[in-house]
Amino acid sequence: LGDLVTFAFNAATATMNTLRKGGLEIMQDIICFFAAARDPDYQGHALLEQYQAQVSACLRSAFSPDSPPEVTTEACSCAALFLERNVSSDPVTLKRVLGLITNRLESLTGQRRKTMASEQSDSFIQLTLLDCLAKIHLAAQKQSQGVLASLIRPHLPLLCGYWIDFLRDHTAIKSY
C-alpha cells in the first residue's frame, strides 16, 4: 500500500498535467479500495491514516491557482472522497482538505457573482466544487454530530446561494 500511495503521490505532483490527473485518479482508487481497511497495528484507526500527509500534499498542489481545470476537478473529487470515506479522524486534516475546496470556491465567488455566463472552464470547476461540497454535506448529515458536520456548517450560507444560482442558471438555459 505504501508503494501505491508513493506512486500516486509522485504522479499527482509531477510537472506533466496528464500525469497529475492520472495520479489523482489512482489516489481516488486507493481511497475507494482501502478507506474501510483498519490498521492492524493501531486499534480504531484507518489504514490510510498513515498516508494522509501524502494525500493532503498532492491535493494542495492540485488546487493551486495555476493548475489546469482537469487537474483541479480531479483533485476536488479526490478530496471529497477523502472526506466522505472518513479516511482521517484528525479534525485539523479534515479542515485543511475541506479548506482546499471551499477556498477555491470562494476565490471564484467574485467571478460568478459578476456575470451569469463565465468562462467554460471556470463554470466546470465551480460545478465540480459544488457537486463535491454537496456530497460532503450529505456525508456530514449522516454523521450529524461528527467533525465533518461542524466543519461544513459555516460554509452552508455560501453554498446555498451557489446552489440556488446554479439552479436558476440551469432553468434559464433549459427554458430556451
Side-chain angles (χ1 to χ4, degrees):
L1 180 60
D3 290 340
L4 281 174
V5 172
T6 300
F7 175 77
F9 170 79
N10 287 336
T13 56
T15 56
M16 292 178 46
N17 291 328
T18 52
L19 267 177
R20 292 174 71 190
K21 185 176 184 289
L24 289 164
E25 289 171 353
I26 293 169
M27 193 65 79
Q28 283 183 68
D29 290 341
I30 292 169
I31 292 170
C32 283
F33 290 120
F34 295 101
R38 307 315 299 166
D39 193 330
D41 296 329
Y42 298 102
Q43 193 71 9
H45 291 275
L47 186 58
L48 286 177
E49 271 189 71
Q50 56 188 299
Y51 304 106
Q52 65 189 2
Q54 290 94 328
V55 175
S56 296
C58 74
L59 290 174
R60 266 193 312 277
S61 71
F63 274 103
S64 68
D66 61 334
S67 290
E70 62 272 9
V71 172
T72 302
T73 55
E74 201 65 46
C76 188
S77 299
C78 187
L81 193 61
F82 180 85
L83 295 168
E84 286 175 60
R85 298 287 176 101
N86 294 321
V87 171
S88 176
S89 58
D90 179 28
V92 174
T93 300
L94 296 175
K95 186 175 181 176
R96 281 186 191 139
V97 173
L98 182 62
L100 293 171
I101 300 171
T102 56
N103 290 341
R104 185 61 191 258
L105 184 62
E106 288 170 1
S107 74
L108 297 171
T109 298
Q111 294 173 11
R112 178 68 184 155
R113 300 280 183 199
K114 288 178 187 170
T115 62
M116 185 170 174
S118 62
E119 192 176 314
Q120 184 178 4
S121 62
D122 284 347
S123 294
F124 185 66
I125 291 171
Q126 288 171 332
L127 285 172
T128 303
L129 290 166
L130 290 172
D131 177 56
C132 292
L133 287 164
K135 289 176 183 175
I136 293 166
H137 178 62
L138 289 173
Q141 291 302 307
K142 290 178 184 174
Q143 296 175 7
S144 72
Q145 298 301 320
V147 174
L148 191 55
S150 65
L151 290 175
I152 199 155
R153 194 172 296 119
H155 302 286
L156 289 179
L158 176 68
L159 295 177
C160 288
Y162 265 113
W163 290 327
I164 290 169
D165 285 349
F166 273 105
L167 287 173
R168 280 189 193 128
D169 289 353
H170 179 71
T171 54
I173 291 169
K174 287 292 183 180
S175 66
Y176 287 114

